[in-house]
Amino acid sequence: MESHMPVSMLDNDFYKFTMQQGVIRLFPYAKARYRFINRGRHSFPAGFAGHLRKAVDDMRLLALSREEKQYLQATCPYLDPLYLDFLEGYRYDPAEVVITQHGDQVAVDVEGSWYRCILWEVPLMYLICELYYRQGQPARISDDKVMAQTAAKIGSYRELGVTVAEFGTRRRFSYDVHHLVLKALRAYGEGAFVGTSNVHLAMQYNTKPIGTHAHEWFMFHAARYGFTMANAMGLEHWVQVYRGDLGIALADTYTSDVFFSQFDKMYAKLFDGVRHDSGDPLVFADKVIAHYQRLGIDPLSKTIIFSDALNYEKVARITEHCRGRINMSFGIGTNLTNDVGPPALNIVIKMTEACPHGKGWTPVVKLSDEYGKYTGDEQTILLAKSSLGIH
């Protein structure tokens, strides 16, 4: 039986900690609500909610170890001592998570102070995945095959001449498979493998933790400052906290067209590049290159991180399109950590409402470059589109 109990406070995506520090510093009174979205309409077996409840309750036992704190101090100098002391004292509060099951469908809702409950999303997703695969799903391929397959994948990316980070924590098959993938990437990935979004595994395998911020950063800023100011204020606050570190901006919370209309010369120079997470990657690349050129900035001094449902064919197509025009790197998730036999789950957990001042809830939405990835209620989506002039 493969383990599913989280083993470390750092078994989470790096951008959760970087955003948490920003929230503590700038929005200590804010509250947030998150909801599980079963995009693939997967069926969960009877009693699944009970197993998930037990795993969530066990999360309260996690604490940052002295070694982990020292690792963060040495590796991430932009995480300040106050924040690291906070993280050392932080404990998950399972009361923030409500889990129910109706037939074969499971509902998961999170509510609490934003600085606290921001850490729940990723562990909840990997717990849902791991428990799902443990209950009556077909067996996965052997450990040796996982290693061999991962070695072959990273070898093909090396031949392409591109760099790859592992972004697969949220929808991994299991903790054990994730370890095997990292072991293979570390052993066979020299020259191509540049790091992982998982801080615990970055520490275990002596590689770089990678990430900046997620859509929720900008979604919250819309609740606080309005849709038209969300991108600009989100970027402004990121720079205020990180002073030039962690300089990859996420471009598609309210469509990339709206983002680039607000990504002026100051931000374009301050940030090292942008991350692509929805819509046609080649169209996006052309848009980014043209934007930098219009501002008189050499695109070859900037980077696009591509991170949307990548596999080798997609990476090869993007590489051919972008090479010699702009720098690029690739964040590959599910294709690395959940390509071991049974089909991967298509699930997300998204912020649904924010309470910026500690009272009064405001619905939040995400308007990706791909309509199928929109999240939020219809009325707020229409309001956002109307405010931002999106047709």
Side-chain angles (χ1 to χ4, degrees):
M1 185 68 78
E2 301 195 44
S3 63
H4 72 271
M5 168 56 199
V7 293
S8 165
M9 179 67 76
L10 296 185
D11 187 14
N12 207 327
D13 278 338
F14 187 47
Y15 65 20
K16 284 291 172 174
F17 300 109
T18 57
M19 288 191 295
Q20 186 181 46
Q21 173 170 271
V23 174
I24 288 169
R25 201 176 294 180
L26 301 173
F27 307 109
Y29 296 102
K31 293 180 182 155
R33 287 175 177 156
Y34 299 80
R35 175 160 295 157
F36 169 62
I37 303 166
N38 182 2
R39 275 187 188 152
R41 299 295 297 166
H42 308 284
S43 294
F44 292 94
F48 186 86
H51 292 286
L52 181 58
R53 180 77 258 168
K54 166 80 172 76
V56 166
D57 287 345
D58 286 346
M59 295 280 290
R60 75 187 189 287
L61 304 172
L62 291 179
L64 192 74
S65 73
R66 186 47 55 102
E67 294 72 36
E68 287 172 333
K69 187 180 184 185
Q70 287 166 348
Y71 167 78
L72 292 175
Q73 283 168 330
T75 315
C76 313
Y78 38 77
L79 297 179
D80 65 43
L82 195 62
Y83 171 66
L84 294 179
D85 282 351
F86 161 82
L87 197 59
E88 195 173 27
Y90 176 91
R91 299 292 180 272
Y92 282 101
D93 179 2
E96 292 164 347
V97 183
V98 175
I99 303 163
T100 54
Q101 182 165 356
H102 303 284
D104 65 353
Q105 292 304 300
V106 171
V108 183
D109 289 278
V110 180
E111 180 181 324
S113 294
W114 189 25
Y115 75 84
R116 288 194 47 78
C117 63
I118 195 168
L119 293 189
W120 274 115
E121 174 198 348
V122 175
L124 281 170
M125 285 184 66
Y126 65 59
L127 289 171
I128 289 167
C129 288
E130 181 147 354
L131 288 166
Y132 175 83
Y133 293 118
R134 288 178 65 186
Q135 295 189 27
Q137 295 304 308
R140 67 167 172 89
I141 58 177
S142 69
D143 289 7
D144 289 346
K145 280 191 177 159
V146 175
M147 291 279 290
Q149 181 175 273
T150 307
K153 284 179 183 177
I154 197 65
S156 64
Y157 292 124
R158 188 194 298 105
E159 281 171 33
L160 255 188
V162 298
T163 55
V164 168
E166 181 277 307
F167 278 13
T169 303
R170 296 183 306 159
R171 298 187 196 93
R172 68 191 183 195
F173 182 87
S174 68
Y175 175 77
D176 295 348
V177 164
H178 203 171
H179 255 291
L180 292 167
V181 166
L182 258 293
K183 192 174 174 185
L185 290 172
R186 202 71 181 92
Y188 305 107
E190 193 173 348
F193 174 59
V194 292
T196 171
S197 62
N198 187 294
V199 190
H200 166 62
L201 293 174
M203 180 177 166
Q204 299 275 305
Y205 289 96
N206 192 27
T207 187
K208 188 181 175 188
I210 291 183
T212 52
H213 47 242
H215 294 105
E216 68 179 287
W217 183 255
F218 296 98
M219 291 160 77
F220 174 84
H221 278 77
R224 176 69 179 79
Y225 300 100
F227 292 111
T228 55
M229 293 296 290
N231 284 322
M233 292 305 294
L235 294 171
E236 182 81 34
H237 282 139
W238 198 254
V239 172
Q240 195 180 318
V241 175
Y242 288 106
R243 317 298 299 173
D245 279 315
L246 305 176
I248 297 291
L250 182 57
D252 72 331
T253 311
Y254 305 107
T255 75
S256 55
D257 285 338
V258 168
F259 178 86
F260 287 115
S261 72
Q262 298 168 345
F263 195 59
D264 64 12
K265 192 165 192 170
M266 180 183 78
Y267 294 127
K269 283 196 158 187
L270 270 172
F271 281 83
D272 301 322
V274 294
R275 178 158 77 89
H276 169 264
D277 197 51
S278 65
D280 186 320
L282 308 191
V283 170
F284 180 84
D286 288 343
K287 210 176 276 183
V288 174
I289 291 163
H291 184 71
Y292 283 129
Q293 286 170 336
R294 247 192 328 273
L295 295 172
I297 295 167
D298 179 3
L300 284 167
S301 68
K302 300 294 178 181
T303 301
I304 303 176
I305 308 289
F306 293 93
S307 62
D308 180 29
L310 297 175
N311 54 29
Y312 178 81
E313 291 69 32
K314 209 166 170 183
V315 170
R317 199 168 75 244
I318 294 167
T319 302
E320 187 185 354
H321 188 77
C322 293
R323 182 162 279 153
R325 301 173 67 208
I326 193 164
N327 297 310
M328 60 194 142
S329 190
F330 299 88
I332 303 180
T334 310
N335 183 255
L336 285 173
T337 60
N338 201 346
D339 184 21
V340 294
L345 292 184
N346 183 6
I347 59 174
V348 292
I349 289 176
K350 286 290 171 199
M351 183 188 280
T352 54
E353 292 174 275
C355 176
H357 305 290
K359 57 178 188 285
W361 290 95
T362 303
V364 297
V365 298
K366 178 179 74 136
L367 309 179
S368 299
D369 287 338
E370 197 178 313
Y371 184 77
K373 282 184 148 188
Y374 277 23
T375 66
D377 69 83
E378 206 53 50
Q379 199 179 346
T380 313
I381 287 171
L382 289 172
L383 176 64
K385 288 173 81 169
S386 151
S387 302
L388 296 166
I390 299 168
H391 306 295

